[in-house]
Amino acid sequence: MFTPGLRLAILSACLIWSAFDLLTGRPTWFLPLLGAAFLAVGHFRSVTVPLAFRAARKGDLQKAQHLLSKTKRPDQLSGQSRAYLEWTRGMIAVGGGDFTLARQALDRAIDGKLRTSNDRCLVLASLAGVCSELGEHQDARAHMAAARSLPRKPEAEAFLEEVLASMDI
C-alpha cells in the first residue's frame, strides 16, 4: 500500500509523536506507537515479495524461491503484493520448465492488481510464451494481442519481440 520510503517516514513521525506525547505527559502517548507497530508488522509481512520479485527479474531464481518461501500467510497479502507474488512464482516456474504451474501463476497475476500497464503487458507476454510452450496457440495469440494493445515502455517492446520470436505459432 505504501512505498518503503513513505512507510519509513510515517513510522518515524509516529515514533516522534509518541515520544513527544510521553514527554509532555499526555495519556494518549501509546496511540501513535500502536499505529507504528501496525505499520511495521504490515511491512515485514510483505517485504519478501518485492525482494523476491527483484531477484527473479535479475535471473536469480534460487534466491527468489528462497525469499518466497519466507513469505508468511500469502493469502493475507494485499492484492498488489499477491499479484507480484504470483508473477514471481510464474517466472520461477518458467525457469524450472514447469509451464503448467507457470500458466496458473501468471493467470492469477494477470487477474491481480498489477501497478502499471507496463507490468500487465509483461505478464501477458510471458503468459503468451507459456501458452505457446503448452501448445495453446489460440490463447497465446490472444494474450500477445492483449499485451501489444497496452501502453508500455521501450524495454517492454523488446521483451514482446523476444517472446513473439520464440512462439511456435
Side-chain angles (χ1 to χ4, degrees):
M1 183 151 96
F2 297 120
T3 65
L6 181 59
R7 203 175 278 158
L8 181 62
I10 294 171
L11 183 69
S12 299
C14 285
L15 292 175
I16 291 169
W17 181 9
S18 183
F20 178 76
D21 280 357
L22 184 62
L23 291 173
T24 57
R26 291 189 180 145
T28 58
W29 64 268
F30 66 92
L31 292 176
L33 192 62
L34 189 62
F38 280 121
L39 194 62
V41 166
H43 172 73
F44 288 111
R45 185 169 38 133
S46 64
V47 73
T48 58
V49 174
L51 295 174
F53 180 72
R54 276 188 226 116
R57 291 288 299 259
K58 291 180 180 177
D60 192 350
L61 300 179
Q62 284 184 330
K63 181 178 180 182
Q65 180 64 45
H66 175 71
L67 287 165
L68 284 186
S69 71
K70 292 184 175 202
T71 303
K72 305 284 191 261
R73 298 186 181 128
D75 55 314
Q76 292 183 359
L77 294 171
S78 69
Q80 184 176 359
S81 291
R82 235 184 343 269
Y84 285 89
L85 173 109
E86 294 299 342
W87 187 4
T88 306
R89 283 180 176 165
M91 286 188 276
I92 293 167
V94 167
D98 189 346
F99 296 108
T100 303
L101 182 63
R103 168 81 195 255
Q104 294 167 356
L106 292 172
D107 276 335
R108 287 189 299 267
I110 204 65
D111 290 338
K113 296 180 179 178
L114 295 167
R115 277 191 305 266
T116 66
S117 64
N118 189 69
D119 288 348
R120 185 165 294 285
C121 172
L122 293 171
V123 173
L124 282 166
S126 297
L127 194 51
V130 167
C131 287
S132 177
E133 288 289 333
L134 292 171
E136 300 170 1
H137 301 299
Q138 188 173 359
D139 286 346
R141 282 191 287 274
H143 290 307
M144 184 54 77
R148 293 184 80 79
S149 71
L150 292 171
R152 57 193 172 275
K153 295 179 180 176
E155 303 84 43
E157 187 64 41
F159 180 69
L160 262 66
E161 294 304 322
E162 179 183 322
V163 171
L164 194 57
S166 71
M167 291 172 54
D168 293 330
I169 55 175

